[in-house]
């Protein structure tokens, strides 16, 4: 076990807990659910940018993405940059209209919005179950990433690292709620930025400069410096699919959408778009380029996902490695706490209170139930992460695609199409979920496209067709009150 690496990381975890305690003491009086799950909609522009970025950039971006860049080369770095407009799309498409309607309906979760829009309890149940299943997969990826970091960089056995990481996350998220989550996101976003920039500089220096690093990659395999990547994996259909999956489709991710109903005012949205896009650009370029160039320094890694933690302990002094180990750890923690809170909000608000609405006024019981739901969910994910796959990026993209196939069209068309009704939304969700599950299960790529593309096209067609048979919504449903 490498103590010099571990001590700064422990200090970082203690800082995270300190911020959670601070957030707990700063809780505002009023509706408990709005405070615990949305922080009373009080985010400013900087915090909004950082929490959206930190929520979106996860173990896949800091561990899986650089691992893919290590394996496939510089072409994967270019591919990763198509994620650049993700924050702009999320805030631009959902943004103001989503927040105005959420305040009108007093919506705490995405499913609150769906129910207010479509007036279908069946739709809410289907959405809730889809969200919980996909989030279990997505959070499992984050837990695996955190444990692998501790295993590779600090010399802690995988199982022990998983326990330390999983229990820490579950405790601080359960304790502090949304306010703790976004405050930690703001800090973690800064840590990610600093860590990414310094690690990339150290990698380029250790490789003897950028030109020397690229030459070494070409000597290992000329395809590593090709646009099509090693194994010619980056075909045009694959790249188009990737853009749909990790950029356009992000609009439909529930944990991203809920950030769009928790900011303070219009100024916060505009500032969030600019700052968020800049931060995503730096992080995506920095981490994926470090992963690709890392092959010039570490040409024989058996597990590509280990490239970033291995580079940290190779090109940085031990204490610096411990400090910057906090960067990918921050990315992972911020994504998990967003997904954990969204999952527990689904259990408490959409399922439990859907069955027992009379408990809405029992604030003491809701507080206890919300915290326990968050903590127990964290422990369940910990168990699911006990035996990890070799490359986590594919598992993460699988969970991403499942959420997008279910939520994208009901969310976007529900906001912008006045005639959209519950029958259309339900048809879209069922067809999207079934199509994506079947195509992903048998690993079928129609015309070389990722399963998300035909799934979204068919779910859009199902929405339009189903909409013709459903009851038309009230005329005032999308109009300002």
């Amino acid at each position: 076990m490498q103590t010099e690496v571990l001590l700064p990381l422990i200090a970082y975890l203690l800082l995270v807990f300190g911020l959670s305690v601070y957030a707990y003491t700063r809780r505002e009086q009023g509706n408990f659910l709005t405070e615990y799950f949305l922080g009373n909609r009080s985010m400013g522009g900087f915090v909004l940018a950082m929490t959206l970025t930190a929520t979106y950039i996860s173990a896949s971006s800091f561990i899986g993405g650089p691992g893919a860049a290590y394996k496939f080369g510089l072409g994967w770095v270019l591919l990763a940059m198509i994620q650049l407009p993700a924050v702009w799309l999320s805030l631009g498409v959902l943004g103001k209209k989503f927040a105005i309607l959420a305040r009108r309906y007093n919506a705490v979760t995405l499913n609150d919005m769906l129910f207010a829009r479509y007036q279908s309890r069946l739709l809410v149940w289907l959405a809730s179950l889809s969200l919980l299943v996909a989030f279990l997969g997505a959070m499992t990826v984050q837990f695996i990433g955190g444990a692998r970091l501790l295993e590779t960089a600090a010399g802690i056995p995988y199982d022990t690292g998983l326990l330390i990481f999983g229990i820490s996350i579950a405790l601080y998220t359960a304790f502090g709620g949304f306010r703790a989550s976004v405050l930690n996101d703001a800090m973690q976003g800064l840590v990610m930025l600093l860590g990414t920039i310094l690690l990339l500089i150290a990698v380029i220096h250790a490789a003897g400069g950028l030109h020397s690093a690229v030459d070494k990659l070409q000597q290992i395999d000329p395809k590593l410096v090709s646009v099509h990547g090693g194994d010619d994996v980056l075909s045009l259909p694959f790249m188009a699919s990737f853009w749909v999956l990790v950029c356009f489709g992000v609009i439909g991710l529930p944990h991203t959408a809920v950030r769009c109903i928790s900011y303070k005012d219009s100024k916060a949205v505009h500032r969030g778009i600019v700052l968020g896009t800049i931060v995503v650009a730096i992080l995506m370029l920095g981490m994926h380029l470090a992963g690709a160039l890392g092959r010039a320094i570490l040409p024989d890694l058996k597990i590509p996902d280990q490239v970033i933690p291995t580079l940290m302990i190779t090109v940085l002094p031990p204490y610096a490695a411990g400090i910057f180990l906090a960067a990918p750890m921050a990315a992972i923690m911020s994504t998990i706490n967003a997904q954990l809170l969204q999952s527990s909000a689904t259990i408490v608000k959409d399922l439990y209170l859907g069955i027992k609405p009379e408990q809405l006024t029992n604030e003491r019981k809701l507080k206890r139930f919300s915290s326990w739901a968050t903590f127990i969910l964290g422990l369940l994910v910990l168990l699911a992460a006990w035996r990890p796959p070799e490359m986590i990026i594919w598992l993460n993209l699988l969970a991403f695609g499942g959420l997008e196939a279910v939520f994208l069209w009901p969310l976007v068309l529900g906001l912008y199409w006045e005639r959209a009704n519950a029958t259309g939304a339900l048809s879209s969700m069922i067809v999207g979920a079934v199509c994506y599950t079947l195509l992903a299960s048998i690993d079928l790529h129609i015309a070389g496209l990722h399963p998300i593309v035909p799934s979204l096209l068919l779910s859009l067609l199902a929405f339009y067709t189903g909409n013709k048979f459903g009851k038309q919504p009230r005329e005032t449903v999308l109009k300002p009150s």
Side-chain angles (χ1 to χ4, degrees):
M1 191 176 296
Q2 300 180 37
T3 309
E4 299 93 337
V5 175
L6 200 56
L7 286 176
L9 189 60
I10 291 171
Y12 175 74
L13 289 174
L14 289 173
L15 181 58
V16 166
F17 277 110
L19 270 178
S20 298
V21 173
Y22 172 75
Y24 184 81
T25 61
R26 291 294 301 272
R27 279 186 182 175
E28 297 176 6
Q29 296 301 312
N31 187 300
F32 165 74
L33 292 173
T34 304
E35 168 59 34
Y36 186 80
F37 292 118
L38 290 181
N40 270 347
R41 311 181 202 272
S42 58
M43 278 195 294
F46 173 76
V47 175
L48 176 62
M50 286 303 184
T51 191
L52 260 176
T53 304
T55 301
Y56 173 65
I57 291 179
S58 62
S60 185
S61 305
F62 264 75
I63 304 295
Y70 176 90
K71 184 174 182 179
F72 301 121
L74 295 175
W76 194 276
V77 181
L78 289 175
L79 181 70
M81 295 311 292
I82 62 177
Q83 301 173 68
L84 194 63
V87 171
W88 175 78
L89 276 172
S90 298
L91 288 175
V93 173
L94 300 179
K96 293 180 184 178
K97 190 164 190 174
F98 199 54
I100 289 167
L101 291 172
R103 282 167 168 80
R104 189 210 297 180
Y105 298 134
N106 196 27
V108 173
T109 67
L110 176 60
N111 288 334
D112 280 346
M113 289 288 289
L114 291 174
F115 182 72
R117 176 64 180 83
Y118 295 112
Q119 296 295 306
S120 169
R121 187 55 62 185
L122 176 61
L123 186 146
V124 169
W125 276 85
L126 178 62
S128 299
L129 293 174
S130 302
L131 184 146
L132 289 172
V133 169
F135 269 3
L136 280 173
M139 288 188 288
T140 299
V141 170
Q142 311 309 318
F143 273 50
I144 293 168
R148 278 204 174 137
L149 273 175
L150 293 174
E151 178 187 32
T152 308
I156 298 173
Y158 177 85
D159 294 349
T160 307
L162 186 62
L163 283 171
I164 294 170
F165 182 75
I167 292 172
S168 299
I169 291 268
L171 277 173
Y172 99 73
T173 308
F175 182 69
F178 185 87
R179 197 175 290 273
S181 173
V182 297
L183 278 176
N184 276 304
D185 284 352
M187 178 191 71
Q188 288 160 344
L190 292 172
V191 169
M192 282 189 271
L193 270 176
L194 185 62
T196 297
I197 293 166
L198 290 172
L199 178 65
L200 180 60
I201 292 170
V203 166
I204 292 172
H205 180 265
L210 188 58
H211 190 272
S212 173
V214 174
D215 283 346
K216 288 174 185 174
L217 290 181
Q218 192 155 19
Q219 289 167 20
I220 295 168
D221 182 355
K223 289 183 178 179
L224 293 176
V225 296
S226 153
V227 177
H228 299 292
D231 301 332
D232 290 324
V233 70
L234 303 179
S235 63
L236 191 59
F238 181 87
M239 288 189 281
S241 302
F242 199 79
W243 181 82
V244 172
L245 185 62
V246 300
C247 188
F248 172 71
V250 170
I251 300 166
L253 293 178
H255 53 297
T256 301
V258 79
R259 260 66 184 157
C260 297
I261 64 174
S262 51
Y263 61 83
K264 187 165 53 178
D265 51 29
S266 297
K267 188 177 178 182
V269 177
H270 300 147
R271 189 174 294 170
I273 288 173
V274 175
L275 288 175
T277 302
I278 292 170
V279 172
V280 167
I282 294 170
L283 292 177
M284 285 298 168
L285 178 63
M287 290 312 300
H288 288 81
L289 189 56
L293 298 180
R295 190 151 178 183
I297 302 167
L298 307 164
D300 301 314
L301 280 181
K302 296 288 187 289
I303 301 176
D305 281 351
Q306 292 180 342
V307 62
I308 292 300
T310 307
L311 280 172
M312 283 181 171
I313 57 175
T314 303
V315 303
L316 295 171
Y319 278 108
I323 293 168
F324 298 125
L325 181 59
M329 192 66 82
I332 294 166
M333 291 172 77
S334 54
T335 301
I336 292 178
N337 62 43
Q339 293 171 346
L340 261 181
L341 274 176
Q342 188 75 4
S343 299
S344 59
T346 297
I347 291 171
V348 176
K349 185 74 169 60
D350 303 323
L351 299 179
Y352 176 68
L353 289 177
I355 299 170
K356 295 189 172 183
E358 70 276 5
Q359 294 295 328
L360 185 60
T361 55
N362 191 341
E363 187 167 302
R364 186 178 175 185
K365 188 172 183 178
L366 282 177
K367 283 181 181 178
R368 189 166 61 247
F369 188 62
S370 298
S371 295
W372 274 109
T374 306
F375 184 67
I376 291 169
L377 271 171
L379 295 183
L380 287 174
V381 176
L382 189 150
L383 291 173
W386 211 258
R387 291 291 172 262
E390 275 192 11
M391 286 185 71
I392 60 173
I393 188 169
W394 308 123
L395 180 57
N396 193 56
L397 292 178
L398 185 68
F400 255 48
L403 287 167
E404 292 168 8
V406 171
F407 286 99
L408 180 65
W409 298 126
L411 181 56
V412 174
L413 294 179
L415 274 180
Y416 290 99
W417 188 21
E418 289 188 8
R419 295 176 61 81
N421 61 41
T423 306
L426 268 169
S427 303
S428 175
M429 292 171 86
I430 293 168
V431 169
V434 171
C435 181
Y436 186 77
T437 302
L438 287 175
L439 291 176
S441 299
I442 61 177
D443 199 26
L444 178 61
H445 297 265
I446 300 169
L449 295 167
H450 187 278
I452 190 61
V453 178
S455 299
L456 285 179
L457 290 173
L458 286 172
S459 64
L460 179 60
L461 179 62
F463 199 123
Y464 179 76
T465 305
N467 212 70
K468 290 183 173 296
F469 298 97
K471 182 182 177 183
Q472 293 304 309
R474 304 186 314 271
E475 288 187 8
T476 57
V477 74
L478 288 179
K479 294 177 182 175
S481 55

